[in-house]
Amino acid sequence: MNEKTIRSCNSAGSISRRIYSALMIAAICVLLIAGCRQEGSQTSVLDSPGGKNTLSKGERMNWWRNDRFGMFIHWGLYAVPAGEWKGGKVQGIGEWIMENGHIPVSEYEQLAKQFNPVKFDAEQWVQIAKNAGMKYIVITSKHHDGFCLWNTKYTDYDVVDATPFKRDILGELAQECRKQGIRLCFYHSIMDWHHPDAQAPFYPKYNDTSKSNPNFDRYVEYYLKGQLKELVRNYGPLGIMWFDGEWIKDWTRENGWDMFEYCLSLQPDIIVNNRVGNGRQGMRGLSKSDEFAGDYGTPEQEIPATGLPGLDWETCMTMNDTWGYKSDDNNWKSREDLLHKLVDIASKGGNFLLNVGPTAEGLIPGPSVERLAAIGEWMKVNSESIYGTTASPLGEVPWGRCTAKPGKLYLHVFDWPTNGKLEVSGLENKVKKAYLLADKKRSELLVTREGREKVVITVPSKAADPVNTVIVLEIDKK
Ligand code: JFZ
């Protein structure tokens, strides 16, 4: 294996992070007028990108703003090598092995013959997501390696034509999602390391962002758009088209707008992430301004410290250190950490897209399944404090987080008070009632006011849930 220094997206990441830091202050100003506006703000071109006959952004975003929690699935040929090539380990995230291991197209393609995930069971995958309290699934229809998980007529480099498995994975998932009431969404890479009209000729550095392909327009107009039509028409209606790989040289701002409008023309209520345009700013994943297309920001592997008021955003995150399966990545985040992250994100007004990377056999790794089940146990009791909530009006609270609905505050207590008193500062509204969300009888907790802006709730000595017990405050709207 070639062990040369690996210029992966991670190094791109550190560069963009540095640039980002330098521009931080300017960025904050820009963010105030940035693209992913919520309802109620000024009208912008984003409100009806597809022309007069489209729905408003608010109408399209409604379910997404309510549902809060989704499953990301990175699955493709890279699950076969699972981080190893010709007996050596390849550094970096699993789905980048073709780039990081400098593997020629003709060799990488051969993996298709080994892709036979006989244990794949769409019903089970959708069930795992649903039981965790997730409401939507975003799966890689095509990642940067160009391999397609459905029977596309635009290439034979797909699961039906090139593998012994021969089953239409997206079709099976679409059917199950419909059955179980989960919204299906596709991640689709603009960058394509396999297509001769895209980045394939750039081998051994497919991700070289200084290079252009003279036939790129043909790739976009014929191949990319043709495939999108298949995805939306044959497997839809979809929740989101989640684009990525937009940082290549050939993808212009105009391409972004054109693709955004094209998606809306195929399905008027579809949601499109901001990576359809090329204005993304570093890992925070926000568009620099509303001259760039897309409905919402996509912070990657991070949660914006104070949320992003007025913007729609969704943090995507891995449970270990890779998106696509890697056999030796055991750096799992704990269940507690993941649950706290979900709540942290909701308390800041964002969505959480939590990743799984299934194996080449077709199984979601055990540690992922266990973590999702644990989150699901909590959600069964407490999901009311996540779905349909908005960011905390209280700012930072010392004992945990807070989410809100009209007339209600949900106090997520991570650190249960040892003295039986939970203090809530910054609350002037009259508290009508307080109870534990886990308490079916809704027995009232004693609430006393200390001064104009502080209430003290008398709580049981033991937390209902050691990781996060939710107290509901019914309050008078001011
Ligand atoms: C992108 C993909 O490259 C990755 O494989 C995964 O699908 C993730 C969800 O999205 O990740 C990126 C893209 C760009 C940078 C970092 C990670 N970057 O420029 O720093």
Side-chain angles (χ1 to χ4, degrees), residues 80 102 114 127 160 186 251 290 294 296 301-302 321 334 372 391 426:
V80 174
H102 309 295
Q114 295 175 57
Q127 196 86 60
V160 172
F186 294 137
W251 192 252
D290 68 2
Y296 70 87
Q301 302 287 33
E302 66 161 7
D321 293 326
S334 70
L372 291 172

Side-chain angles (χ1 to χ4, degrees), residues 9 12-13 16 74 95-96 143-144 187 244 247 275 283 300:
C9 67
S16 46
H74 276 74
E95 72 282 6
W96 274 66
H143 205 269
H144 308 329
Y187 164 111
D244 193 28
W247 58 83
R275 298 188 189 186
M283 300 298 270
E300 182 167 317

Side-chain angles (χ1 to χ4, degrees), residues 268-298:
D269 64 348
I270 204 164
I271 293 173
V272 182
N273 72 337
N274 70 332
R275 298 188 189 186
V276 71
N278 63 359
R280 181 152 61 107
Q281 200 152 43
M283 300 298 270
R284 302 207 81 180
L286 292 165
S287 299
K288 289 179 203 136
S289 76
D290 68 2
E291 59 186 291
F292 298 100
D295 288 312
Y296 70 87
T298 49

Side-chain angles (χ1 to χ4, degrees), residues 422-429 431 447-457:
L422 187 82
E423 296 191 0
V424 184
S425 301
L427 184 64
E428 289 180 27
N429 314 48
V431 178
V447 182
T448 52
R449 185 164 284 281
E450 280 184 14
R452 216 164 69 100
E453 288 191 8
K454 185 163 154 188
V455 297
V456 179
I457 308 161

Side-chain angles (χ1 to χ4, degrees), residues 148-168:
C148 301
L149 285 190
W150 80 103
N151 189 15
T152 172
K153 69 175 185 206
Y154 291 91
T155 177
D156 281 343
Y157 195 45
D158 69 55
V159 63
V160 172
D161 295 312
T163 78
F165 193 53
K166 294 194 189 311
R167 278 160 51 186
D168 187 330

Side-chain angles (χ1 to χ4, degrees), residues 424-439:
V424 184
S425 301
L427 184 64
E428 289 180 27
N429 314 48
K430 183 174 171 233
V431 178
K432 296 194 287 193
K433 202 174 169 185
Y435 54 89
L436 297 172
L437 191 51
D439 176 11

